[in-house]
């Protein structure tokens, strides 16, 4: 069973940057995919970025493309999300999760980390 712990959130002004970390305990297999989600008050949770654990292929939501970067460090069992050019609408709780196989659901949710962007 994989357990995930997010960190790195905080309060930042618009245009600023943050780095979120997602530390995983337990074994991550090569066909796993890691995702960063966010949920703002009153809104549905959305997938903002994902990365394959093996080859590092990445996908981004259109709303963050060009501003956010996802990466992983296999030696540290950690996935990062670099948030640049932040906007007030990026304010949300950010979660990471793991998808064990193609067609399966994301799970093993962490507790989340709050990102607040002031205008």
């Amino acid at each position: 069973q994989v357990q995930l712990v997010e960190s790195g959130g905080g309060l930042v002004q618009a245009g600023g940057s943050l780095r979120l970390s997602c530390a995983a305990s337990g074994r991550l297999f090569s066909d796993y995919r890691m995702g960063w989600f966010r949920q703002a008050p009153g809104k549905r949770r959305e997938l903002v970025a994902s990365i394959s654990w093996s080859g590092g292929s990445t996908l981004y939501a259109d709303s963050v493309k060009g501003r956010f970067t996802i990466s992983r460090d296999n030696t540290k069992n950690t996935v990062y999300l670099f948030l640049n050019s932040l906007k007030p609408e990026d304010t949300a709780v950010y979660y990471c999760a793991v998808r064990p196989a193609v067609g399966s659901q994301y799970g093993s949710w962490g507790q989340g980390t709050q990102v607040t962007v002031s205008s």
Side-chain angles (χ1 to χ4, degrees):
Q1 182 75 14
V2 175
Q3 292 184 317
L4 304 173
V5 178
E6 303 96 335
S7 62
L11 173 63
V12 64
Q13 289 187 331
S17 300
L18 284 172
R19 187 190 76 168
L20 306 184
S21 300
C22 173
S25 61
R27 186 172 177 182
L28 296 172
F29 294 92
S30 60
D31 52 352
Y32 282 14
R33 193 164 189 90
M34 306 297 293
W36 277 100
F37 292 75
R38 68 185 181 187
Q39 188 167 22
K43 294 189 177 181
R44 297 181 63 180
R45 185 168 54 195
E46 63 171 337
L47 176 64
V48 296
S50 66
I51 188 168
S52 65
W53 193 247
S54 59
S57 68
T58 58
L59 293 172
Y60 296 93
D62 287 343
S63 58
V64 306
K65 202 171 292 183
R67 299 188 299 120
F68 291 7
T69 302
I70 189 171
S71 67
R72 88 248 186 264
D73 185 334
N74 298 55
T75 65
K76 296 182 178 179
N77 257 24
T78 300
V79 177
Y80 302 99
L81 186 67
F82 296 86
L83 292 68
N84 298 309
S85 302
L86 282 162
K87 305 175 181 179
E89 51 263 44
D90 295 318
T91 295
V93 179
Y94 285 71
Y95 301 89
C96 63
V98 59
R99 191 188 74 184
V102 175
S104 67
Q105 299 294 316
Y106 278 93
S108 300
W109 297 93
Q111 83 288 350
T113 186
Q114 176 71 48
V115 171
T116 303
V117 184
S118 63
S119 56

